[in-house]
Amino acid sequence: MQTAISVEKIREDFPILKRKVRNNKQLVYLDNAATAQKPIQVINAISDFYTNHNSNIHRAVHALAEEATEAYEVTRDKVAQFLNIKDRREIIFVRGTTEAINLVAYTWGRQNVKQGDIIVTTEYEHHSNIVPWQLLTQEKGAKLEYIGVNDDGELLLDQLETYLATGKVKLVAISQMSNVLGTITDMAEVMRMCKKAEVKVLVDGAQSVPHMKVDLQQIGCDFFAFSAHKMLGPTGVGVLWVRKELLEQMTPFHGGGDMIREVHKYETTWNDLPYKFEAGTPNIADVIGFSAALDYLSNLGMDFVRNHEIEITKYALEKMSTIKGLKIYGTKDISKRGGVISFNFADIHPHDLATIIDEEGVAIRSGHHCAQVLMERLDVAATSRASFYIYNTKEEVDVLIKSLEKAARLFKL
Amino acid sequence: MQTAISVEKIREDFPILKRKVRNNKQLVYLDNAATAQKPIQVINAISDFYTNHNSNIHRAVHALAEEATEAYEVTRDKVAQFLNIKDRREIIFVRGTTEAINLVAYTWGRQNVKQGDIIVTTEYEHHSNIVPWQLLTQEKGAKLEYIGVNDDGELLLDQLETYLATGKVKLVAISQMSNVLGTITDMAEVMRMCKKAEVKVLVDGAQSVPHMKVDLQQIGCDFFAFSAHKMLGPTGVGVLWVRKELLEQMTPFHGGGDMIREVHKYETTWNDLPYKFEAGTPNIADVIGFSAALDYLSNLGMDFVRNHEIEITKYALEKMSTIKGLKIYGTKDISKRGGVISFNFADIHPHDLATIIDEEGVAIRSGHHCAQVLMERLDVAATSRASFYIYNTKEEVDVLIKSLEKAARLFKL
Amino acid sequence: MSSNADIYHEMIVEYSRHPSNFGKIENPDVTYHDSNPLCGDSIDIFMNIKDNKVSDIKFNGRGCAICMACSSVMTEIVKGKSIDDVKKIQKDDILGELGLQNLQAVRIKCALLSLKVLKYGIYTYLAKHLNDTNADALKQEASALY
Amino acid sequence: MSSNADIYHEMIVEYSRHPSNFGKIENPDVTYHDSNPLCGDSIDIFMNIKDNKVSDIKFNGRGCAICMACSSVMTEIVKGKSIDDVKKIQKDDILGELGLQNLQAVRIKCALLSLKVLKYGIYTYLAKHLNDTNADALKQEASALY
Ligand SMILES: Cc1ncc(COP(=O)(O)O)c(C=O)c1O
Ligand SMILES: Cc1ncc(COP(=O)(O)O)c(C=O)c1O
């Protein structure tokens, strides 16, 4: 059992949190849903690789190549452990969630989706779980359908039932946590419906994996995608997990080095999994850096992460509810949401709000958050979004509240 | 004018060169064609980004996002300058050469190559400039043809003329420098033929850009691809350059964040160039790290780089030629080759050779070098390859020679 | 790094709530639409041209206070001007009016979206209706704004 | 990090130049091919089975000294053994014979390629000809070798 972990101690691992920005204001970083900050352990792991072990991997026999290859492959084992994946060969390293989903659309999608088929997604998806399916369905003459969102920011899963009943659904592509509303998708219910209908499920775990315990064997989906940079890891690394039976049938995506077994002039055979889908020199140093991020989160424990975020989010929701004219989107039920709070403040445009509070050192995001379909559903052009992680404190929430009050004064609310 | 640059001084910038490997042997790194080592300036640039500026880019207004976005975009300007590119919007950041070429195959290729068309490549290409075209031509019922290689490791460009005369060639995909033979392609001649035939040309610059001055306006090709990690930069970054007129007509590749203008449920419009082709969170930190690599090479000057490699390669070729039973592939004309020497030593298999000399601290590569078509042409299963860069010395070549002599003793040659 | 402390002065806030020339023109001589993919700001302009002058101009859409204020100022400047004079409008003419010359890079797009739309609109008009072969320069200029 | 200093002893060099059981069998009862995508080593094996015993075995292909030596030793061990005994052969039976137990990770693939090919070959034979439902265990084992 973990004894009390101190957030003050965690903060010491993140050098950037000492930054002063703008007019020498202490940085308050509340843009974690966009990307997380990196602990010194991750930064050092990358430096150490380049300082001591740098080499290309898999193909050479010299000492550095051996060290680099081993460190790279160890990360795959750690990912398997982190998400309770049975077979490490199901894990493919990509650039991020976006590439992971596009890889599925270009391979499994092009192979399996036919004219008249339906792909179901949701109104609260990130563009990276919408646009690849638009491109695919348009190319194939298939249809894209959306599961709606109710006023509490929750999915109307009845609609999924209706789509599935047509018998034409080939894939349900759904995120486990909305990056705008923070809503946690009821994956058990989604999987129950889809298993009954024998429909494949792709889960966008970009927001869930960094913030809560995720167990892929328990979920039982077919494809799973997430990004390292949102969970303390470096940019340029993501993971696509695919159930072995499907992965074995998938045609390759990129052609090139490492993904081949034998290349002849007019015919080529493919390498074993997962290498068949990792063409070219991968992002070696950052995959190795990602190891350190996984270690960091494992040491904390994902229960700690989730509980800390519940505490901060609850506190922030309470404080923000007292501000007149401030509208919060999504459910107030803390058990059903992650540490993401989207809001609008009277008639102040989110960009103006973000600029004003940035002057106080507070970094939040404003805009459509790559979720324009959801913006249309909410009937807003944009929202402001504060999102929390392991190093955020209640004192930082207080600074946010204060800066919102300043915005109110400037805009004479 | 540069006054004499000291290689000893350069070596101080590369901490890994002090490494001891295996039985406490001084590392002699001669695997530069696979990946280059990184100077402290690059390592520090990455650390500095994560320590002080880390943020996602393009979409937020807060201070860190502003700093990160600017640093990321500055790299694009530096790439433009380094390769004499007129319009920065023609520069797309990808993972590496492999992704760059596949992007072209999936977008321009799928749009333009039809049944009966011909794509021409060469016998000395890397798999990443063969397999994507195999996949494309097989899908489209088009044909893949190879320009042959003569016994001096030079392309038989007459064959290109013959292919072009069919009037069916849609693309010539050719590397500017062979990663096995070191041969420098006569791009002027290739472009003269292709321009006359009005055929598009894709150049694989993975081996040329790190080692010689490359001017894209002078070459006059249509697509150009290379990797940062082979030119002192981090893994996970590469560049695809496409002539604007073509790029504007290309359909998007990955769908997702940042590459869109407006997303609606059933229709989407695309962002401006180059962002249309940079979907999702890019490898921000490493693109910024790549800036430092470009600065480093610019400061040295590519003339210095090329001259230094000519000197080392000449020395190595001379020494190696005196070893009985050692066969060197490719031209002996130093003006026509880069700092890559592929060889075989009597009947010692390259893997055994690499293992033996690795015991002496010398890192070379052995195998097919992702060029199995060339291995078939040379009628060998594999070769050994020593490849040089700015920090290698004649003393290191001497260590290589000594370790080869040890291998001869073990194998009783 | 410039400070944005003084950006949100009274005039900006006032314009954002009560923009000038906001609305649509039915059957306009010129209309153009563009949006900022990074933040979702979206602007339409409508113009009537009479005797080579902009006899009427309106803008519509949604955007932040900076976008609304700049669009307002832009329309105020343009209204009644000759096309030649409109072509000469520079970004600092707009930004200066509102004290926004030091606006940070990301927000500059909010400030200049409507000017970009204006220039593209005029370009389209010149190229289509007047067959002006110099119109391309304007297009270049518009695309180089940010 | 293990040292490879002692790998290239006389026996290995000797086997690499004069491999045992090198060649082909015409119309063999069992044949299987595999290659190592990372280094290009490529091995075919051929076996004849009589009375549930490996009456003859040969291997062909190209590989490094380690691959050739291990393939030689493997065929020597297998020849004349019953299928049940062949199924039990472990990697250390081969590596031990040549003192290669501490071989580094990349080179282990050179050493075990022929054993992998052997096990897949036997698996295919059992599954096809004898309808052996336990054959899958052998396939699992083969694929887990490295
Ligand atoms: C000539 C050539 N082309 C392409 C590549 C592939 O580059 P990357 O592995 O960085 O994608 C390489 C290097 O491996 C190469 O040498
Ligand atoms: C829910 C969700 N899906 C997908 C993505 C895309 O991830 P990336 O930009 O790392 O590819 C994000 C983050 O931007 C996200 O929040």
Side-chain angles (χ1 to χ4, degrees), chain D residues 32-53:
Chain D
Y32 202 84
H33 164 83
D34 202 2
S35 61
N36 185 339
L38 301 175
C39 66
D41 287 352
S42 168
I43 291 289
D44 287 275
I45 58 153
F46 309 88
M47 283 183 278
N48 280 331
I49 312 278
K50 215 174 264 170
D51 304 332
N52 259 332
K53 277 188 183 159

Side-chain angles (χ1 to χ4, degrees), chain A residues 33-35 95-101 124-129 175-180 204-208 225-230 237-238 369-370 385, chain B residues 56 59 257 279-282:
Chain A
T35 201
R95 179 169 40 246
T97 310
T98 304
E99 187 182 20
I101 297 174
Y124 68 45
E125 294 309 304
H126 189 278
H127 290 161
S128 62
N129 206 17
S175 67
Q176 197 177 5
M177 188 189 289
S178 157
N179 70 317
V180 177
D204 172 351
Q207 293 296 335
S208 58
F226 64 99
S227 303
H229 71 91
K230 292 182 198 282
V237 177
H369 316 292
C370 299
R385 181 184 73 183
Chain B
N56 215 318
R59 285 180 301 256
T281 304

